């Protein structure tokens, strides 16, 4: 790239000058979007994407600064800054202005802080893009960092950390960081918490602003904007709105070329205690930072072979021994300048010495090229994030889109040299092995208690040992296992890549129906095909797992080549899903169906699947609290289903002969629904269906025997609550799932009005319950579809350290205010919400998978309501505000007579830290006033505005305030010393208790479910009349 590749665009009225890249970008042949790259005078680079058909406009701004740039004395500052930028700007000071604008324009936003970058992104209705960008750009040149928001977002960051505290991925990730060599920035604690961010006393806000002013430099920012506007118009918007971002004179993004593994970290075994029950071995080897090696991608070459699951692979060998159930191998980008290669096992010596025929790289290159050339269009927001992240890669500008995806054939010796350099690091004495298991299992295999240490931030138990010389010598010895060898050629690589509003019923037999839609929207050579008691449920699940397990070696090459399949057990039987390039798909489909029909389970694989399933179900109860409250809420409103606990009770007794008999039972009489979608011809779809029927050779189910999913319906005027403890004794968070039934989903107008109401309430619920009241990190309000797709309602979820009784009171207080808010809503704002929903329903599917999912949803439910979203879009034009208000007053407001409500309280068992009641706080402030201490209590409330604050936080806060320059040590000691007596005089109420006169507390779930009406069985809402001649 040379200076001549850029053209200067002079200032035009209010649009500042910028430069534009003049060479075309290398892109996929099916990519119909237009691209430009521009560079602003302040150094910010932007990718502009013109997509006249995009369903959403979107933008993502990537700042090349992450938590590795945190000050040593303020861990989590970059993450804290990410939170605060959402809380208002000088141009738009209202703290929820940005989220409110996006919400009413069918949009949303998020952000994340990584090690070396922080990314902010949003999506919005295309006409609203200019307004969204105007609000978004202010984050980076004029944020407010208001003191009151600063205090509240400290709580949000703290809550986010506590949300992750019992999550094994977070615990093990941080342990690996903590065990870096001394002084390496990778060891930093990136999330942060209240303690780390307030360790500097009252300096938190000042330090934050200083850090932002230095690090958030325009020359370290990359922006991607996707919209329907022409490229020139997008360029003008970006230049006008983002040129005010200052360039603070910072150099290139910080590059760390020092690896966190030093001599003391290599050649070690780290034993880690897990929260969930699972076994895993992870080996990490130092690896060069991969983006500069984009042309040949040596890390990908290694992962291709070490992670291979076909014949001769490490996975196939270890699986055959019954030692593992899965294996993965991949590069891991840690920070800008260093990386890891991670796999579950160390490779044997022969792998390092093997010759690599050039056709290996040719196959990898061909697969990558095929995937790039026929990549399906992604959602705009995710696509913008990916582009913005990768714009900082050291690649030619014209290859910003292609370089991350394509792999070049080896030219000369350079490609193989890069691979061999990477292999040099994959030695047992240069890596770290992490062994993950529960504490008792570690000690069982080590014959005694281990000398456990505790990781600083999460309290994870671990030990570190060095390999002895005997082990190292054995590990370095040549491979003498003939079953391990490099794979052969991939026969599934596709060779034939030549390139309606609903699917049509094109074939019907006694046992099956085939729904077909020729791909008239996506010119892509793909096709997507979807096809009474606890013990039966367990057996069906095991059968599906055994089929998938038996096919791994055969189908791995197919998956590499872009074909995929999965056999899934569900409440109605099994679903077989296949997708991929059409010329190879029918053969794969027939092979998988034969494997299902001819499954002969073996005892050793059944034992492995049972153990795997037991761990999966056991671990479910260690999930976050809100996952559990949602699960039980759904269970209580679903007809004929079983709890995981009931399934666990059946699992140990399952015998081999039972499984073999069950697969015959399942396939004896069947009803098949098939959806064929994509680049497959009608006669091919019919032939495929006929082949499946011939292979299965099954009898039809009678019409009344075909199962269907059904929901349980809460009666009008009901108010139910069910309470249970969170099973994990160390989980600090409780959770509330609060469901209000709205009615029939198949009533078109009622469905549209209810969906609109849930959308309108979504942002206020988040703003009040999370942002303002700081109940917890997880807060949402959304529409909830019940099982069977015939009933729906509204669900509010809150996960919090506060008690569930208090959470329900705050939810009801929020609902009490919403009636007035709805009534006072301006007509234009209401129309904006309507237009946003209409646009969402009318937006076309982005890709084949999304379209298949929409159609399959209606086939699987039995209602065949394929045009529902178009009907919704037409109906919403006629909906008036009084209808939404009436539905809220009639069915949602806490005093509504027809309201049908169920709340699930999952209550933490972990003892809560002592808190101070609001009355004790008031009494303490009265003491401060009586002592005539010169402190502005109004300002103090802004800095520590929490109802029932944690006593330790409150005491620390006031210790900082009552410094010697404010009051004498004796007075301060006297005032603070009276706090325990005030806490005893004014105790905190039991927040788990929900005080309501009309609540019915559910004691026996099964008895409760027996009192509820069952939704009617599904019937097609439309007789499409496609047979005998579908109008294709």
């Amino acid at each position: 790239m040379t200076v001549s590749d850029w053209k200067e665009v002079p200032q035009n009225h209010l649009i500042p000058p910028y430069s534009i890249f003049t060479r075309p970008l290398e892109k996929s042949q099916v990519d119909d979007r237009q691209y430009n790259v521009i560079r602003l005078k302040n150094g910010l680079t932007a990718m502009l994407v013109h997509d006249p058909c995009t369903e959403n406009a979107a933008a993502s701004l990537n700042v090349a600064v992450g938590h590795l740039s945190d000050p040593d004395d303020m861990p989590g500052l970059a993450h804290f800054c990410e939170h605060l930028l959402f809380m208002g700007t000088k141009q738009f000071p209202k703290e929820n202005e940005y989220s409110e604008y996006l919400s009413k324009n069918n949009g949303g936003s998020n952000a994340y802080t990584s090690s070396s970058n922080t990314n902010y992104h949003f999506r919005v209705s295309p006409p609203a893009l200019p307004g969204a960008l105007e609000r978004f750009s202010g984050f980076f040149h004029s944020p407010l960092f208001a003191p009151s928001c600063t205090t509240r977002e400290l709580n949000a960051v703290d809550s986010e950390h506590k949300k992750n505290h019992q999550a094994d991925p977070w615990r093990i990730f941080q342990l690996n960081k903590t065990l870096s060599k001394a002084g390496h920035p990778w060891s930093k604690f990136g999330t942060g918490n209240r303690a780390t961010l307030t360790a500097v006393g009252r300096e938190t806000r000042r330090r934050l602003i200083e850090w932002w002013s230095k690090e958030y430099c325009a020359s370290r920012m990359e922006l991607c904007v996707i919209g329907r506007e022409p490229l020139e118009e997008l360029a003008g918007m970006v230049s006008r709105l983002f040129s005010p971002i200052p360039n603070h004179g910072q150099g290139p993004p910080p590059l760390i070329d020092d690896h966190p593994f030093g001599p003391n970290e290599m050649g070690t075994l780290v034993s880690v205690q897990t929260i969930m029950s699972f076994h895993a071995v992870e080996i990490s080897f130092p690896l060069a930072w991969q983006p500069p090696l984009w042309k040949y991608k040596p890390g990908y070459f290694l992962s291709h072979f070490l992670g291979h699951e076909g014949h001769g692979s490490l996975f196939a060998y270890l699986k055959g021994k019954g030692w593992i159930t899965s294996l993965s191998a991949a590069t891991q980008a840690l920070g800008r300048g260093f990386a890891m290669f991670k796999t579950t096992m160390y490779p044997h010596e022969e792998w390092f010495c093997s010759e690599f025929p050039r056709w290996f790289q040719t196959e990898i290159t061909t697969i990558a090229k095929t995937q790039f050339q026929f990549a399906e269009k992604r959602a705009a927001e995710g696509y913008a994030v990916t582009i913005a992240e990768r714009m900082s890669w050291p690649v030619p500008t014209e290859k910003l889109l292609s370089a991350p995806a394509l792999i070049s054939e080896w030219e000369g010796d350079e490609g193989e040299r890069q691979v061999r350099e990477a292999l040099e690091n994959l030695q047992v004495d240069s890596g770290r092995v992490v062994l993950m298991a529960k504490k008792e299992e570690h000690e069982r295999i080590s014959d005694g208690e281990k000398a456990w240490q505790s990781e600083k931030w999460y309290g994870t138990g671990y030990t570190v040992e060095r390999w002895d010389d005997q082990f190292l010598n054995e590990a370095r010895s040549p491979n003498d296992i003939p079953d391990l060898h490099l794979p052969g050629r991939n026969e599934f690589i596709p060779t034939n890549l030549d390139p309606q509003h609903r699917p049509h019923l094109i074939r019907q037999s006694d046992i099956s129906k085939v729904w077909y839609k020729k791909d008239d929207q996506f010119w892509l050579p793909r096709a997507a095909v979807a096809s009474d008691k606890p013990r039966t449920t367990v057996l069906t699940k095991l059968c599906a797992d055994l089929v998938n397990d038996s096919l791994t070696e055969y189908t791995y090459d197919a998956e590499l080549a872009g074909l995929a399949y999965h056999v899934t057990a569900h409440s109605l039987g099994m679903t077989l899903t296949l997708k991929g390039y059409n010329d190879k798909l029918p053969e794969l489909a027939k092979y998988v169906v034969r494997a299902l029909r001819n499954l002969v389970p073996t005892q050793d694989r059944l034992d492995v699947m049972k153990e795997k399933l037991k761990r999966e179900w056991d671990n479910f109860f260690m999930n976050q609290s809100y996952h559990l409250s949602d699960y039980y809420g759904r269970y209580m409103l679903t007809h004929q289903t079983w709890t995981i606990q009931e399934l666990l009770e059946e699992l140990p007794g399952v015998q081999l002969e039972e499984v073999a008999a069950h697969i015959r039972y399942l396939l004896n009489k069947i009803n098949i629904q098939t959806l064929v979608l994509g680049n497959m011809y009608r006669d091919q779809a019919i032939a495929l269906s006929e082949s499946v029927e011939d292979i299965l050779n099954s009898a039809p189910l009678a019409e009344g025997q075909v199962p269907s999913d059904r929901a349980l319906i809460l009666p009008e005027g009901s108010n139910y609550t069910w309470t249970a403890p969170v099973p994990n004794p160390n989980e600090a968070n409780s959770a509330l799932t609060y469901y209000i039934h709205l009615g029939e989903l198949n009533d078109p107008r009622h469905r549209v009005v209810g969906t609109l109401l849930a959308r309108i309430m979504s942002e206020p619920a988040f703003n009040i319950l999370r942002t303002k009241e700081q109940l917890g990190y997880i807060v949402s309000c959304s529409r909830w579809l019940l099982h069977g797709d015939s009933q729906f309602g509204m669900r509010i979820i809150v996960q919090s350290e506060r008690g569930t009784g208090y959470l329900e009171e705050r939810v009801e207080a929020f609902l009490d205010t919403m009636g007035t808010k709805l009534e006072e809503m301006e007509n234009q704002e209401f129309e904006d919400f309507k237009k946003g929903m209409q646009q969402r329903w009318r937006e076309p599917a982005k890709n084949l998978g999304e379209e298949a999912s929409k159609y399959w949803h209606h086939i699987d439910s039995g209602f065949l309501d394929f045009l529902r979203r178009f009907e919704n879009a037409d109906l919403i034009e006629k909906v008036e505000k009084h209808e939404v208000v009436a539905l809220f007053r009639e069915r949602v407001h806490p005093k509504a007579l027809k309201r049908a409500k169920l709340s699930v309280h999952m209550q933490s068992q972990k003892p809560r830290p002592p808190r101070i009641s609001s009355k004790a706080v008031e009494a303490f402030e009265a003491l401060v006033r009586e002592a005539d201490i010169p402190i502005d209590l109004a300002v103090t409330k802004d800095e520590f505005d929490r109802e029932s604050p944690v006593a330790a936080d409150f005491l620390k806060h006031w210790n900082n305030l009552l410094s010697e320059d404010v009051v004498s040590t004796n007075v301060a000691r006297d005032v603070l010393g009276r706090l325990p007596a005030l806490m005893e005089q004014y105790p905190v109420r039991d927040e788990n208790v929900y005080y309501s006169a009309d609540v019915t507390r559910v004691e026996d779930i099964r008895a409760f479910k027996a009192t509820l009406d069952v939704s009617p069985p599904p019937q097609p809402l439309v007789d499409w009349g496609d047979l005998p001649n579908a109008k294709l």
Side-chain angles (χ1 to χ4, degrees), residues 84-95:
L84 263 294
L85 291 191
F86 285 82
M87 297 289 107
T89 64
K90 290 178 183 177
Q91 293 78 17
F92 298 95
K94 183 180 173 184
E95 67 181 43

Side-chain angles (χ1 to χ4, degrees), residues 51-66:
D51 185 351
C53 300
T54 186
E55 75 287 353
N56 281 316
S60 171
L61 189 142
N62 197 72
V63 188
V65 175

Side-chain angles (χ1 to χ4, degrees), residues 95-226:
E95 67 181 43
N96 69 326
E97 167 67 30
Y98 174 65
S99 60
E100 192 173 67
Y101 179 86
L102 294 177
S103 179
K104 69 184 181 184
N105 286 288
N106 191 33
S109 68
N110 213 331
Y112 61 87
T113 303
S114 189
S115 58
S116 298
N117 69 292
T118 307
N119 191 285
Y120 302 83
H121 49 94
F122 71 81
R123 67 187 181 282
V124 74
S125 178
L129 176 63
L133 283 176
E134 188 174 10
R135 289 159 175 80
F136 182 63
S137 60
F139 288 16
F140 311 104
H141 58 70
S142 54
L144 288 180
F145 295 124
S148 60
C149 296
T150 303
T151 300
R152 289 204 308 269
E153 288 308 306
L154 280 171
N155 302 330
V157 169
D158 198 59
S159 177
E160 184 174 354
H161 170 58
K162 288 174 178 174
K163 170 184 73 73
N164 301 328
H165 202 269
Q166 293 294 297
D168 284 314
W170 284 93
R171 295 166 67 89
I172 295 167
F173 176 70
Q174 183 60 47
L175 177 62
N176 273 313
K177 285 163 62 65
T178 299
L179 295 178
S180 302
K181 66 184 179 185
H184 197 283
W186 180 244
S187 65
K188 291 184 176 182
F189 171 44
T191 305
N193 60 25
R194 186 174 184 80
T196 66
L197 292 167
T198 58
V200 293
R202 302 183 67 186
E203 295 289 292
T204 300
R205 181 172 179 268
R206 182 185 65 77
R207 291 284 301 277
L208 168 65
I209 294 172
E210 285 179 357
W211 184 89
W212 174 85
S213 299
K214 174 189 172 186
E215 302 290 356
Y216 270 52
C217 176
S219 60
R220 290 181 171 183
M221 296 180 182
E222 284 85 27
L223 171 70
C224 177
V225 178
I226 301 175

Side-chain angles (χ1 to χ4, degrees), residues 293-437:
L293 307 177
W294 57 269
K295 187 172 183 180
Y296 299 117
K297 297 181 175 61
Y300 182 85
F301 187 95
L302 297 184
S303 64
H304 174 82
F305 290 107
L306 291 174
H308 207 282
E309 296 181 4
H311 183 62
S313 68
L314 185 62
F315 170 79
Y317 174 75
L318 296 175
K319 176 189 169 186
K321 291 287 186 181
W323 292 342
I324 65 170
T325 57
S326 63
L327 181 150
S328 64
T331 60
Q332 182 185 21
L334 302 185
R336 191 179 295 102
F338 58 99
M340 291 281 194
F341 186 87
K342 289 197 172 184
T343 186
T344 55
M345 287 285 172
Y346 61 89
H348 288 273
E349 184 68 23
E350 185 173 319
W351 285 76
F352 297 105
C353 303
S354 297
E355 291 297 320
F356 296 128
R358 287 189 173 249
W359 62 261
F360 282 165
Q361 183 74 358
T362 299
E363 279 197 352
I364 292 173
T365 299
T366 302
I367 290 170
K369 182 179 179 181
T370 302
Q371 291 173 343
F372 176 70
Q373 292 296 355
F374 298 103
E376 295 184 331
K377 186 176 284 189
R378 295 173 54 192
E381 186 178 15
Y383 189 49
V385 170
T386 299
I387 290 176
E389 269 193 332
R390 292 175 174 174
M391 284 175 69
S392 61
W393 277 31
V395 303
T397 303
E398 65 272 18
K399 294 184 179 292
L400 284 174
L401 300 174
S402 61
L406 294 178
I407 302 174
S408 296
E409 298 239 26
W410 287 344
E411 299 171 0
D413 297 330
E414 178 60 19
E416 186 168 356
R417 183 191 65 78
Q418 290 181 8
V419 170
R420 297 218 172 266
E421 281 187 5
L423 276 170
E424 287 299 319
N425 290 322
L426 270 65
Q427 307 289 343
V428 66
D429 53 357
S430 65
R432 171 194 287 163
V433 179
V434 179
L435 178 62
M436 309 171 206

Side-chain angles (χ1 to χ4, degrees), residues 547-562:
V547 171
N548 289 320
D549 180 68
S550 70
L551 290 168
T552 305
E553 289 184 44
Y554 174 81
T555 58
Y556 187 75
D557 273 345
E559 291 182 20
L560 286 177

Side-chain angles (χ1 to χ4, degrees), residues 794-863:
M794 181 186 302
R795 173 272 246 146
I796 297 175
I797 182 85
V798 184
Q799 179 171 282
S800 173
E801 290 184 85
R802 307 296 294 264
T804 57
Y806 178 78
L807 297 182
E808 178 144 348
E809 288 175 11
R810 299 319 303 155
V811 167
E812 300 214 325
F814 158 69
L815 292 176
D816 192 42
T817 66
M818 271 305 299
T820 303
K821 181 175 176 60
L822 289 168
E823 289 169 349
E824 294 177 354
M825 179 182 288
E826 297 288 341
N827 287 334
Q828 185 56 55
E829 185 179 3
F830 182 72
E831 291 300 317
D832 287 342
F833 275 110
K834 285 172 56 177
K835 287 176 184 175
M837 291 303 303
Q838 186 178 59
Q839 185 261 334
R840 171 178 289 190
W841 281 321
R842 284 182 174 165
E843 65 191 33
K846 291 176 287 295
N847 51 55
L848 201 60
E850 184 177 299
E851 188 178 32
S853 178
K854 287 179 178 179
Y855 292 143
W856 186 251
H857 177 78
H858 295 299
I859 294 170
D860 195 41
S861 72
F863 292 110

